[in-house]
Amino acid sequence: MAILGFLRDFSLHGYDLKNRVASLAGHVRPVADGTLYPTIKKLEEAQCLTRRTAPGSVAAPRHMLEITQTGTDQLRRWLRDPEQGFITDDNKWYVLLAFLHHLENPREQALVLARRREFLDQPTQLFFDEHGAPIPPELLDSPFRKGLMQIHRSTNLTEIEWLDRQIGDLNRRAGFAVRQRGAE
């Protein structure tokens, strides 16, 4: 998704694309040439992107990567109906969020955000006892685990507030009536 998302912004040289993908997600999963370039090749074979030669700024010509209409359509399909991992995994979610503006329909954008909102409404259990029962945050012995839970809770609350505002705004722009959460 990141490759097509960045190329939807503008054409890029492979090296520049690698740096952008690494800036977005490389802190979690390093972007290796052995991963990036085979993926680019597969996307090229699927006619999602093309290469063109452009003059180099200093030396040899550069191979620029450009998204095709097929690639744009694929990106929008991925954005419109993301796999569940893109909703539940924070790092994948950030990638999806970085390119959600390429899904131009505000109602479709709101529906994706609503999926994340529903996920965040689920209770989070990070720690369990030896029998597999969840340990409530207030019963954790470790100050570090308590801190982790506090940070996690604060981050989720901030994201929920942002999601609620964005979903409401997008639904208004799409002409949908906006109901307050909990209103009947």
Side-chain angles (χ1 to χ4, degrees):
M1 183 181 299
I3 292 170
L4 293 181
F6 280 122
L7 292 178
R8 181 71 178 101
D9 291 338
F10 37 80
S11 301
L12 290 166
H13 181 269
Y15 178 78
D16 295 329
L17 178 61
K18 178 183 175 181
N19 287 339
R20 290 169 194 266
V21 171
S23 292
L24 183 60
H27 63 284
V28 177
R29 296 177 194 96
V31 180
D33 291 346
T35 303
L36 180 68
Y37 290 103
T39 303
I40 289 172
K41 185 70 176 157
K42 286 179 186 175
L43 289 169
E44 190 175 21
E45 289 169 357
Q47 300 179 345
C48 289
L49 60 87
T50 60
R51 296 174 195 254
R52 69 172 169 80
T53 303
S57 58
V58 177
R62 297 166 46 115
H63 293 283
M64 299 299 290
L65 301 169
E66 296 180 335
I67 195 168
T68 63
Q69 186 59 52
T70 300
T72 298
D73 294 343
Q74 180 61 57
L75 175 63
R76 288 184 178 143
R77 278 191 297 276
W78 285 338
L79 292 168
R80 187 177 298 112
D81 188 25
E83 295 175 7
Q84 188 63 12
F86 278 93
I87 300 298
T88 60
D89 179 285
D90 285 346
N91 295 300
K92 288 182 178 182
W93 170 247
Y94 299 149
V95 170
L96 182 137
L97 201 55
F99 302 109
L100 193 57
H101 65 278
H102 291 308
L103 187 60
E104 296 164 355
N105 181 315
R107 177 64 181 155
E108 291 176 340
Q109 293 170 336
L111 290 171
V112 173
L113 296 182
R115 283 183 59 194
R116 175 69 173 187
R117 178 64 169 86
E118 288 172 18
F119 165 71
L120 292 176
D121 279 341
Q122 303 304 312
T124 301
Q125 298 297 331
L126 300 180
F127 302 106
F128 301 84
D129 67 18
E130 64 272 11
H131 305 291
I135 302 173
E138 62 275 6
L139 298 181
L140 291 170
D141 292 332
S142 167
F144 307 106
R145 286 185 173 187
K146 284 182 180 180
L148 174 62
M149 291 301 295
Q150 182 179 358
I151 292 166
H152 182 76
R153 199 173 312 121
S154 297
T155 302
N156 281 0
L157 289 174
T158 299
E159 185 175 353
I160 286 168
E161 290 173 11
W162 179 84
L163 286 167
D164 286 345
R165 283 193 311 273
Q166 292 304 309
I167 292 167
D169 181 55
L170 291 167
N171 280 330
R172 277 189 289 282
R173 288 179 30 213
F176 278 76
V178 179
R179 291 185 332 183
Q180 295 294 334
R181 283 185 85 74
E184 301 186 62

